């Protein structure tokens, strides 16, 4: 009988020990000079050669510099490369910067460059960039600081691919799959630790060949819940949040007196995709009617609180290849209705409940996306287009979109900086599932133009080519560009030199000073 | 049904059933109607419980939500009850291998915490009302079956059953004419608690995005959408939460009352 | 005697574990859709796809996969996460501590609150306090924890600003999640303690003890309580497993990096091996805790025949 009491005491003692251990292990001192950034999801990997998710790319590129990097005008500029020459359209010779060292002290050599790109090309690691590197014929080390890369055919956007970071061959080979859990690079920050779904810790690379970061320590606090992220920022547990506060909640956050905000246009563009094989949506007038029936202004002002800009191309207005003369589909329900009449979808009962036509609108199960999809459906219903919103778990949604198992869907493109993407999105050889022409678009003129754009090296000529492409695509509407989401950074006012880039990259963090 | 709590339970459930049946007439607005200018508005005469992010009427959505919760609860408990009674009686009455197999199956099901089991199955299905019903029924029948099996074991040797068997009554008739009426009490009690449990798990699943589709106005979904705006508009999540608590409380009160009335020995 | 019982009891849990594993395995194979699609992305070549399918054993007959799965379970090879290619067990090991601590603290809080309430309610049976306590207990069972959590955050973190809403920074950040997780258990245990106490108080030995002139305090605490707690301990043991499962919601609300959150993340990433691992580890923990409680109970109470 007494034993039950003993058991209880035992349990109590056990709990006490646990609590003591927890308290002890949690009481690590917080870094004083650390810049604390809250992000909303864990990077998938910090190996720059593997990263395809937004945070994986942004953070891994702070650790690993590539031969080139994207600058704040979304152009490719040399990073590890001192200079390069192009003997012909298919051949590049890169001269590396001298004296660059990896974080472990080893010097950067041409062998590391050759290895990094070869490991992707030959599938030594399972990188999604493998297919892109298939364009490479040969990578050759000419001297310890010279590399020659030969392509199978001319490919204008090739340098964009070389923004993928360089890893030290010796370390990467030794560590194999584990390289991602403690990556080494030449970038402005050194890797310290990564606890998935919890934290990424980096420290400044004092021997960086470029400008050494102004804050010595960088912490990425992975906080999935919007409320928690906001409260942490408001309470000062976090210094900066970029693009991770829902617009509807931004005004609440900014009530905190010591928080500041900056906003600027971004490169993420949301669009509405159509299945051009569908009997209803293959009709251009129906697609145009949809474009006219969506009141994007009211969605932008209500849901985005103005933090989005109406889009008419999937290229952002800041992009060098963006065509400034593109027209705009302004909200015009009357025109939408007359287009539907013209397409043969007459209104069966005037203002009554019956729809002219009905189809399914698929979206991912991201809450924000569903809310917006429901608003769009609501607006379409006003002109007699009956749309049923069906949210799917991301995997199913994505695979349906690829397989063409949809009528209409919404998605967004982000980090698109190279107009060559029109080849992937619009060329008839790129139909999903092999390519990303998910809408099954086919236009002989567009095909010809994007083929030309890819092998044309002169930027002005390319600009004209892509202007024409954007014009045709906007008229034929295989997809409706909806809006560009603006970049927003909210930060504590003791931070100096906070900037925003159109691609919302984290390079800006290196410039921030903390008072 | 003397106690005050069971009376409260009955009243709550009655009100909710009326709300579910007559939702289109009772609800002051359509549950999907946008009023963007009323985004996050608090209580007003026109919208007694305020409006959600897109200005939809929270009260109307809660009223329509009773349909989802009560409907799923009723279907799942009915399916579980029917399957549970058949399996439980068969296992208890025949004994032997059938009973052993049943006992093992029920042990396995009980080795999963109920909610985890639901999450595990839901993880691999698309959110839909039918799927939620299937998921909850897969495990729901076990508790009924165990109960009925126990009762069958206890009753089957009693004189009236033995006598009935001797006079050559057919099995189904024996079950439903003699065995079943003797265990209605505990079954009803279990059904009442079952409703509470099912509604709770359904709303938990929906809260996690694994239950009913998010386009359906259900309480779990509303709570999930509401918590996002907790800091600026707590009423979005508080009212659906109260609705869930009320209905669960109602069925728990009722279950308690029924138990006191029908099976005082269990107390 | 005791040892052989424990061994026997543990062995008897094996078929259940096996059946649980089997269910989990076939659940994952019943789903539509191709996991390979998701991992290698749209640009993948057929060669890569085949290779990956091979690595995940997706190209083999289901029965072979099942054999390998069971073999892996036994030898500690639970597969690799599709998402980041780290071993499943490594992921779970990183997270299990957080979940365990949360569950234990929730249990601790529940026990600390419920037993005194149960005793008072039993001793003052029928009084206002009894009725109030039992009303709140029923309320506690009825309130969904995914509502309680946000409300606690709103009150204690936002309005009053006295408790942190999440994070692993200090002990205080455990308070709100533990209360959220433990509330229903506390409510249940106080009902149980009360009814168990009422039973005991009616028994002969208590009446004898009172007749002998022992103080009421000593009758209640030294005699009745000890016996009344036995069923409570059993339930606490049974509920640790349920608490482990309940952490799924609590962890989501409070951004607590445990197995529950790992499970939800893996579900949304369709990381099947990891989903499988999380469900298995929680179920195994549940079976194990139940078995251990059962043993403890028998050991603690010599009256129960082994």
């Amino acid at each position: 009988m007494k034993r039950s009491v003993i058991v209880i005491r035992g349990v109590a003692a056990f709990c006490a020990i646990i609590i003591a251990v927890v308290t002890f292990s949690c009481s690590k001192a917080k870094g004083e000079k650390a810049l604390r950034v809250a992000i909303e999801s864990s990077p998938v990997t910090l190996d720059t050669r593997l990263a395809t998710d937004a945070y994986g790319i942004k953070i891994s590129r702070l650790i690993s510099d590539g031969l080139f990097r994207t600058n704040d005008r979304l152009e490719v500029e040399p990073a590890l490369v001192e200079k390069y020459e192009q003997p012909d359209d298919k051949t590049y010779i890169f001269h590396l910067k001298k004296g660059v060292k990896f974080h472990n002290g080893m010097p950067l050599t041409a062998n590391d460059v050759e290895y990094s790109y070869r490991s992707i090309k030959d599938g030594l690691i399972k990188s999604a960039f493998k297919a892109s590197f298939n364009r490479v014929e040969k990578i050759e080390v000419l001297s310890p600081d010279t590399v020659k890369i030969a392509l199978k055919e001319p490919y204008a956007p090739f340098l964009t691919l070389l923004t993928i970071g360089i890893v030290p061959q010796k370390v990467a080979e030794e560590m194999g799959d584990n390289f991602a859990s403690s990556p080494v690079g030449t970038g402005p920050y050194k890797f310290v630790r990564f606890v998935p779904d919890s934290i990424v810790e980096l420290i400044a690379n004092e021997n960086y060949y470029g400008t050494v970061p102004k804050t010595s320590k960088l912490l990425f606090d992975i906080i999935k819940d919007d409320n928690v992220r906001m409260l942490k920022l408001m309470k000062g547990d976090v210094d900066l949040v970029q693009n991770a506060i829902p617009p509807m909640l931004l005004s609440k956050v900014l009530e905190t007196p010591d928080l500041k905000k900056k906003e600027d246009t971004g490169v993420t563009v949301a669009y509405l995709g159509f299945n051009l094989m569908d009997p209803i949506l293959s009709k251009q007038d129906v697609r145009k009617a949809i474009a006219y029936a969506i009141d994007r202004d009211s969605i932008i002002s209500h849901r985005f609180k103005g933090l989005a800009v109406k889009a008419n191309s999937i290229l952002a207005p800041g992009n060098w290849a963006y065509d400034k003369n593109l027209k705009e589909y302004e909200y015009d329900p009357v025109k939408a209705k007359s287009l539907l009449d013209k397409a043969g979808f007459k209104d069966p009962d005037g203002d009554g409940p019956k729809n002219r036509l009905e189809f399914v609108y698929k979206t991912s199960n991201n809450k924000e996306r569903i809310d917006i999809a429901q608003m769009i459906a609501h607006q379409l219903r006003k002109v007699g287009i009956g749309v049923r919103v069906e949210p799917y778990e991301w995997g199913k949604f994505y695979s349906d979109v690829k397989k063409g198992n949809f009528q209409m869907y919404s998605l967004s493109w982000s980090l698109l900086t190279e107009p060559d993407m029109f080849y992937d999105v619009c060329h008839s050889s790129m139909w999903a599932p092999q390519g990303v022409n998910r809408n099954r678009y086919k236009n002989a003129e567009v095909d010809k133009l994007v083929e030309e754009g890819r092998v044309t090296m002169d930027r002005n000529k390319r600009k004209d080519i892509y202007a024409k492409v954007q014009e045709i695509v906007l008229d034929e509407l295989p997809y409706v560009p909806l809006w560009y989401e603006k970049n927003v950074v909210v930060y504590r006012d003791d931070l100096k030199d906070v900037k925003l880039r159109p691609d919302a990259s984290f390079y800006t963090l290196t410039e921030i000073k903390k008072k | 049904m003397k106690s005050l709590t069971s009376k409260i339970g009955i009243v709550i459930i009655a009100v909710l059933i009326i709300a579910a049946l007559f939702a289109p007439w009772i609800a002051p607005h359509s549950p999907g109607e946008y009023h963007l200018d009323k985004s996050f508005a608090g209580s007003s005469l026109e919208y007694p419980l305020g409006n959600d992010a897109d200005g939809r009427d929270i009260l109307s959505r809660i009223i329509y939500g009773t349909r989802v919760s009560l409907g799923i609860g009723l279907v799942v408990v009915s399916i579980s009850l029917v399957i549970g009674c058949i399996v439980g009686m068969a296992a208890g009455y025949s004994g032997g291998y059938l009973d052993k197999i049943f006992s093992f199956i029920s042990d396995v099901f009980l080795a999963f915490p109920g909610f985890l089991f639901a999450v595990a199955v839901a993880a691999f299905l698309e959110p839909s009302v039918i799927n939620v019903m299937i998921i909850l029924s897969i495990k729901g029948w076990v508790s009924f079956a165990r109960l009925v099996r126990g009762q069958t074991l206890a009753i089957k040797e009693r004189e009236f059953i033995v006598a009935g068997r001797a006079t050559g009554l057919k099995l189904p008739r024996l079950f439903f004419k003699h065995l079943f009426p003797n265990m209605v009490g505990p079954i009803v009690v279990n059904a009442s608690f079952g409703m509470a449990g099912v509604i709770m798990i359904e709303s938990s699943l929906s809260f996690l995005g694994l239950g009913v589709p998010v386009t359906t106005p259900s309480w779990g979904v509303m709570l999930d959408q509401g918590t996002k705006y907790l800091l600026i508009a707590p009423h979005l999540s508080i009212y659906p939460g109260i609705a869930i608590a009320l209905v669960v409380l109602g069925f728990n009160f009722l279950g308690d009352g029924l138990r006191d009335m029908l099976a005082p020995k269990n107390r | 005697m005791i040892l052989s019982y424990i061994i026997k009891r543990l062995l008897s849990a094996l078929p259940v574990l096996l059946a649980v594993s089997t269910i989990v395995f076939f659940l994952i194979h019943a789903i539509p859709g191709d996991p390979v699609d998701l991992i290698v992305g749209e640009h993948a070549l057929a060669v890569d796809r085949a290779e990956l399918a091979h690595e995940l054993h997706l190209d083999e007959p289901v029965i072979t996969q099942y054999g390998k799965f069971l073999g892996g379970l036994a030898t500690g090879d639970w597969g690799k996460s599709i998402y980041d290619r780290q071993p499943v067990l490594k992921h779970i090991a990183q997270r299990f501590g957080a979940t365990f601590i949360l569950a234990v603290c929730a249990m601790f809080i529940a026990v600390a609150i419920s037993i005194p309430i149960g005793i008072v309610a039993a001793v003052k049976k029928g009084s206002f306090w009894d009725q109030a306590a039992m009303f709140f207990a029923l309320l506690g069972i009825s309130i969904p924890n995914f509502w309680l959590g946000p409300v606690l955050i709103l009150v204690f973190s936002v309005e009053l600003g006295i408790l942190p809403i999440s994070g692993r920074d200090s002990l205080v950040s455990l308070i709100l999640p533990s209360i959220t997780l433990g509330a229903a258990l506390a409510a249940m245990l106080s009902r149980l303690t009360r009814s168990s106490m009422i039973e005991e108080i009616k028994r002969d030995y208590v009446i004898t003890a009172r007749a002998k002139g022992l103080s009421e305090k000593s009758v209640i605490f030294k005699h009745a309580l000890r016996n009344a707690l036995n069923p409570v301990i059993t339930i606490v043991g049974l509920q640790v497993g349920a608490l482990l499962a309940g952490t799924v919601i609590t962890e989501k609300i409070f951004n607590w990096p445990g197995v529950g959150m790992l499970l939800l993340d893996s579900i949304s990433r369709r990381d099947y091996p990891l989903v499988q691992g999380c469900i298995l580890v929680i179920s195994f923990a549940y079976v194990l805790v139940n078995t251990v409680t059962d043993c403890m109970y028998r050991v603690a109470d010599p009256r129960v025949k082994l």
Side-chain angles (χ1 to χ4, degrees):
Chain A
M1 281 193 280
K2 276 188 183 173
R3 292 193 205 176
S4 64
V5 176
I6 296 174
V7 171
I8 289 188
R9 285 194 190 141
V11 170
F14 179 66
C15 295
I17 291 170
I18 287 195
I19 288 168
V21 171
V22 178
T23 323
F24 182 73
S25 63
C26 289
S27 58
K28 278 178 209 146
K30 288 175 190 163
E32 288 190 6
K33 265 289 192 178
L35 177 61
R36 296 157 307 172
V37 178
I39 57 178
E40 54 194 334
S41 66
S42 202
V44 178
T45 175
L46 293 180
D47 185 335
T48 162
R49 299 166 298 166
L50 298 175
T52 50
D53 61 304
Y55 284 125
I57 292 175
K58 287 181 190 176
I59 297 175
S60 72
R61 287 183 185 187
L62 288 179
I63 302 169
S64 312
D65 271 346
L67 291 187
F68 293 84
R69 79 158 58 116
T70 316
N71 69 12
D72 53 7
R73 293 178 306 281
L74 300 177
E75 292 159 346
V76 168
E77 67 179 19
L80 291 174
V81 161
E82 184 67 48
K83 58 182 176 30
Y84 71 100
E85 60 231 40
Q86 237 185 312
D88 59 67
D89 279 357
K90 293 195 285 183
T91 317
Y92 296 81
I93 293 172
F94 301 105
H95 302 274
L96 302 182
K97 282 203 170 88
K98 297 230 164 64
V100 175
K101 287 198 165 71
F102 284 106
H103 298 153
N104 63 0
M106 280 162 40
L108 168 81
T109 69
N111 285 319
D112 298 311
V113 176
E114 187 268 343
Y115 170 77
S116 297
Y117 295 140
R118 176 166 53 88
S119 63
I120 301 173
K121 181 180 177 327
D122 292 356
L124 306 182
I125 51 159
K126 297 217 163 36
S127 170
F129 298 110
K130 181 175 171 172
S132 310
F133 274 91
N134 266 345
R135 298 196 172 89
V136 174
E137 173 79 45
K138 205 167 152 204
I139 313 172
E140 226 179 314
V141 175
L142 300 182
S143 81
D145 52 9
T146 321
V147 186
K148 182 172 125 186
I149 299 183
L151 300 182
K152 291 173 182 158
E153 59 203 51
Y155 183 57
F158 179 62
L159 296 186
T160 315
L161 211 53
L162 303 185
T163 55
I164 295 173
I166 301 300
V167 299
Q169 177 173 14
K170 188 159 173 293
V171 182
E173 273 180 343
E174 271 169 16
M175 297 186 63
D177 266 357
N178 288 326
F179 182 74
S181 55
S182 59
V184 178
T186 54
Y189 279 100
K190 288 189 209 178
F191 174 83
V192 178
R193 69 189 171 117
F194 171 34
V195 185
D197 294 311
S198 179
I199 200 159
V200 181
E201 184 179 335
L202 308 176
I203 51 166
N205 174 11
E206 298 296 337
N207 301 317
Y208 188 52
Y209 63 87
T211 318
V212 176
K214 302 287 190 303
T215 34
S216 58
K217 196 171 178 186
L218 185 52
L219 289 175
F220 292 100
D221 205 348
I222 301 154
I223 308 175
K224 285 175 197 139
D225 187 90
D226 290 335
N227 289 310
V228 178
R229 205 179 315 114
M230 280 168 58
L231 277 170
K232 285 210 158 184
L233 180 65
M234 289 158 75
K235 292 192 168 197
D237 294 339
V238 160
D239 297 312
L240 181 147
V241 176
Q242 182 170 291
N243 286 355
I245 292 174
M248 289 181 114
L249 298 171
L250 199 60
S251 59
K252 174 75 187 177
V253 173
L254 294 172
E255 281 171 17
T256 315
D258 50 356
L259 288 179
K260 283 187 181 170
K261 177 192 85 164
K262 266 189 188 158
E263 57 175 83
D264 205 350
T265 47
V267 291
T268 299
V269 55
Y271 68 92
L272 206 56
F274 303 114
N275 190 341
L276 300 183
M277 299 283 111
D278 184 84
I280 299 175
L281 294 160
S282 57
K283 297 195 162 98
Q284 191 173 343
D285 284 331
V286 173
R287 302 198 298 271
K288 282 195 168 164
I290 291 172
Y292 282 118
I294 299 174
D295 183 0
R296 291 178 289 163
D297 287 315
S298 92
I299 295 176
I300 288 171
S301 75
H302 171 63
R303 273 276 155 191
F304 291 93
K305 298 293 165 209
L307 291 171
V309 181
K310 273 195 281 182
N312 50 11
S313 166
I314 48 175
L315 279 184
N319 195 292
W320 59 265
Y322 173 79
D323 176 13
K324 292 190 174 55
N325 304 318
L326 289 173
K327 64 171 176 177
E328 193 81 63
Y329 287 92
E330 297 294 350
Y331 177 53
D332 190 345
V334 178
K335 194 161 188 179
K337 283 182 191 169
S338 74
L339 279 164
L340 288 172
D341 285 339
K342 200 176 135 203
F345 295 99
K346 300 268 190 257
D347 194 346
D349 58 352
D351 283 340
K354 283 193 193 140
N355 293 316
R356 296 160 181 259
L357 67 161
E358 278 170 4
F359 56 88
V360 172
Y361 174 5
K362 288 190 180 180
T363 160
S364 76
N365 61 1
N366 172 300
K367 285 180 221 161
E368 200 79 26
R369 288 241 163 96
I370 296 166
D371 286 343
I372 291 169
Q374 283 186 287
M375 287 192 71
I376 291 178
H378 192 73
Q379 293 173 349
L380 293 179
R381 228 166 279 137
K382 284 187 189 157
V383 298
I385 304 175
V387 170
R388 192 168 75 248
V389 176
E390 285 184 3
Y392 289 97
E393 174 275 325
W394 171 255
K396 167 94 166 73
F397 169 68
Y398 194 56
S399 106
D400 275 1
V401 167
K402 271 164 58 176
K403 286 183 198 136
N405 180 20
F406 65 86
Q407 291 179 288
M408 183 169 95
Y409 68 98
S410 50
L411 255 176
S412 56
W413 289 111
S414 60
L415 297 175
L416 293 179
T417 52
E418 179 31 72
D420 182 56
M421 69 196 230
F422 279 111
Y423 189 100
D424 298 318
V425 178
C426 297
H427 193 276
S428 61
S429 71
M430 297 303 282
W431 281 21
Q434 281 75 33
V436 293
N437 184 347
R438 297 159 178 153
N439 313 311
R440 275 83 180 152
Y441 179 57
K442 186 178 179 141
N443 177 309
E445 195 183 354
V446 171
D447 278 4
K448 216 177 110 253
L449 286 167
V450 292
E451 282 162 25
E452 209 182 316
R454 174 169 270 200
V455 293
T456 307
M457 296 294 153
D458 181 84
R459 175 170 290 187
N460 285 327
K461 276 187 200 153
R462 291 189 80 204
K463 203 174 161 173
D464 292 342
I465 292 170
Y466 290 115
K468 187 79 192 139
V469 172
Q470 290 171 72
E471 202 178 296
I472 299 172
V473 168
L474 189 65
D475 185 57
E476 299 212 312
L477 282 180
Y479 51 80
V480 178
L482 293 172
W483 43 73
Y484 310 101
E485 285 166 29
K486 279 191 179 177
N487 291 321
V488 182
V489 60
V490 179
Y491 57 99
R492 305 199 68 74
D493 58 7
D494 60 349
L495 299 187
K496 260 177 66 183
D497 295 332
V498 177
K499 285 178 190 152
L500 266 175
R501 287 188 177 211
D503 59 358
S505 91
F506 280 149
Y507 288 127
T508 50
L509 299 179
T510 61
E511 297 175 39
I512 295 177
K513 274 198 277 282
K514 200 173 174 181
K515 275 180 218 157
Chain B
M1 297 297 235
K2 282 169 293 183
S3 70
L4 176 65
T5 50
S6 50
K7 280 176 195 149
I8 296 176
I10 291 173
V11 171
I12 293 174
I13 294 165
V15 168
L16 290 169
I17 289 175
I18 292 171
L21 287 178
F22 303 106
W25 293 276
I26 296 173
H29 300 271
S30 150
E33 202 177 296
Y34 289 102
H35 304 275
L36 296 191
D37 53 324
K38 292 259 180 225
S39 173
F40 299 124
S43 298
S44 62
L45 266 182
E46 210 189 340
Y47 305 94
L49 300 184
N51 305 65
D52 74 2
D54 297 319
R56 292 175 296 194
D57 179 33
I58 293 177
L59 177 65
S60 302
R61 291 175 75 73
I62 287 182
I63 290 174
Y64 274 88
T66 44
R67 293 184 153 190
V68 180
S69 292
L70 288 186
I72 290 178
L74 206 64
V75 170
V76 170
V77 168
S78 308
I79 295 175
S80 306
L81 195 146
V82 171
I83 298 178
C85 282
I86 295 171
V87 174
M89 278 190 214
Y93 191 81
S94 65
Y97 275 106
L98 197 61
D99 192 32
K100 284 221 173 75
I101 292 171
F102 164 72
S103 296
F104 180 70
I105 293 176
S106 78
D107 278 352
V108 171
F109 272 108
L110 290 179
F112 273 114
F115 177 59
L116 180 75
F117 183 80
V119 170
V121 184
F124 304 110
L125 296 172
E126 281 305 325
S128 87
V129 173
I130 302 288
N131 283 346
V132 172
M133 289 175 178
I134 295 172
I135 292 165
L136 295 180
S137 304
I138 292 177
K139 205 184 160 179
W141 65 276
V142 180
S143 71
F144 282 98
R146 279 173 87 95
L147 178 85
V148 169
R149 172 184 168 272
Q151 296 280 328
T152 309
L153 282 177
I155 294 172
K156 84 172 176 189
E157 299 305 329
R158 286 212 219 143
E159 295 88 9
F160 69 98
I161 302 287
V162 177
R165 233 181 326 184
T167 56
L169 269 182
K170 289 237 170 67
L171 265 181
R173 198 172 151 76
L174 183 75
F175 280 151
F176 291 101
K177 199 98 198 199
H178 298 283
L179 276 175
F180 190 68
N182 278 288
M183 49 182 91
V184 164
I187 290 176
V188 169
V189 173
N190 202 41
S192 183
F193 288 127
M195 283 292 284
V198 166
I199 290 172
M200 188 69 117
I201 295 187
E202 176 271 312
S203 44
S204 308
L205 283 181
S206 302
F207 174 75
L208 293 178
L210 300 170
V212 303
V214 283
T215 44
T216 317
S218 96
W219 299 339
V221 169
M222 288 174 72
L223 231 162
D224 179 30
Q225 290 170 340
T227 38
K228 188 171 158 191
Y229 307 110
L230 191 67
L231 295 181
I232 52 172
H235 64 283
L236 263 61
S237 33
I238 285 181
Y239 294 128
I242 290 176
I244 298 169
L246 264 184
V247 66
V248 173
L249 192 69
F251 280 107
N252 277 335
F253 275 166
L254 181 68
D256 265 7
L258 287 170
R259 184 168 56 190
D260 290 348
M261 193 172 78
L262 300 169
K265 273 173 284 174
N266 285 7
R267 198 75 212 246
Chain C
M1 252 318 242
I2 288 172
L3 194 68
S4 73
Y5 173 77
I6 293 176
I7 292 171
K8 219 172 95 190
R9 189 68 184 75
L10 284 174
L11 283 178
S12 75
L14 275 181
V16 174
L17 291 182
L18 183 68
V20 168
S21 316
T22 308
I23 294 177
V24 172
F25 175 82
F26 283 104
L27 271 183
I28 282 169
H29 284 75
I31 27 154
D34 184 357
V36 178
D37 268 3
L38 260 163
I39 310 157
V40 285
E42 292 178 85
H43 291 290
L45 305 172
V47 189
D48 292 347
R49 302 174 56 87
E51 201 176 323
L52 192 73
H54 179 69
E55 193 187 313
L56 297 168
H57 306 304
L58 290 171
D59 54 346
E60 293 167 48
V62 173
I63 198 75
T64 322
Q65 290 186 44
Y66 178 59
K68 287 195 174 155
F69 166 74
L70 286 186
L73 279 190
T75 54
D77 172 16
W78 289 28
K80 271 185 179 177
S81 156
I82 290 177
Y83 190 59
D84 65 0
R85 319 195 138 262
Q86 298 295 312
V88 166
L89 273 183
K90 187 182 157 197
H91 272 289
I92 291 174
Q94 276 175 345
R95 303 300 198 83
F96 194 75
T99 296
F100 184 73
I101 287 166
L102 181 57
V104 168
C105 285
M107 191 189 80
F108 188 71
I109 286 180
V111 169
I113 294 173
S114 62
I115 290 182
I117 289 181
I119 295 171
V120 171
V123 173
K124 300 197 184 288
K125 189 188 167 200
S127 71
F128 167 75
W129 293 112
D130 177 28
Q131 286 181 349
M134 288 310 107
F135 178 81
F136 279 105
L138 257 184
L139 203 63
I141 294 175
S142 310
I143 289 179
N145 53 2
F146 52 90
W147 183 76
L148 184 62
V151 169
L152 289 176
I153 291 178
L154 204 59
V155 174
F156 291 99
S157 307
V158 181
E159 294 303 324
L160 301 176
I162 47 177
L163 289 173
I165 76 168
S166 89
R168 293 70 64 182
D169 309 330
S170 66
L171 190 59
V172 279
S173 54
L174 257 169
I175 296 176
L176 291 186
S178 306
I179 294 177
T180 305
L181 183 56
L185 180 61
M188 199 177 110
L189 288 182
S190 42
R191 275 160 68 95
L192 188 72
T193 310
R194 173 181 174 273
S195 59
S196 178
M197 271 303 275
I198 289 173
E199 290 284 308
E200 289 301 323
I201 292 173
K202 279 192 288 199
R203 283 183 198 260
D204 290 345
Y205 73 91
V206 175
I207 296 167
T208 319
R210 276 188 182 143
K212 279 200 305 193
L214 289 178
S215 73
E216 189 64 20
K217 214 168 144 189
S218 129
V219 171
I220 298 292
F221 287 101
K222 286 210 169 137
H223 297 266
L225 182 59
R226 284 187 186 172
N227 288 321
L229 283 185
N230 274 330
V232 177
I233 292 173
T234 315
I235 296 296
V236 170
L238 281 170
Q239 290 299 317
V240 172
L243 282 181
L244 286 174
T247 52
V248 175
I249 284 184
T250 316
E251 288 178 7
K252 175 184 151 109
I253 297 170
F254 291 95
N255 209 44
W256 189 263
V259 179
M261 209 149 95
L262 185 64
L263 174 61
L264 289 179
D265 287 342
S266 311
I267 289 174
S268 63
R269 291 166 189 159
R270 294 224 141 181
D271 190 344
Y272 305 137
L274 209 43
V275 172
Q276 213 169 34
C278 292
I279 294 171
L280 282 175
V281 84
I282 300 178
S283 313
F284 283 7
Y286 184 72
V287 174
L288 206 68
V289 171
N290 284 355
T291 311
V292 169
T293 321
D294 198 39
C295 293
M296 251 167 68
Y297 179 59
R298 310 248 167 164
V299 173
D301 192 342
R303 287 176 307 183
V304 180
K305 254 193 2 204
L306 294 180

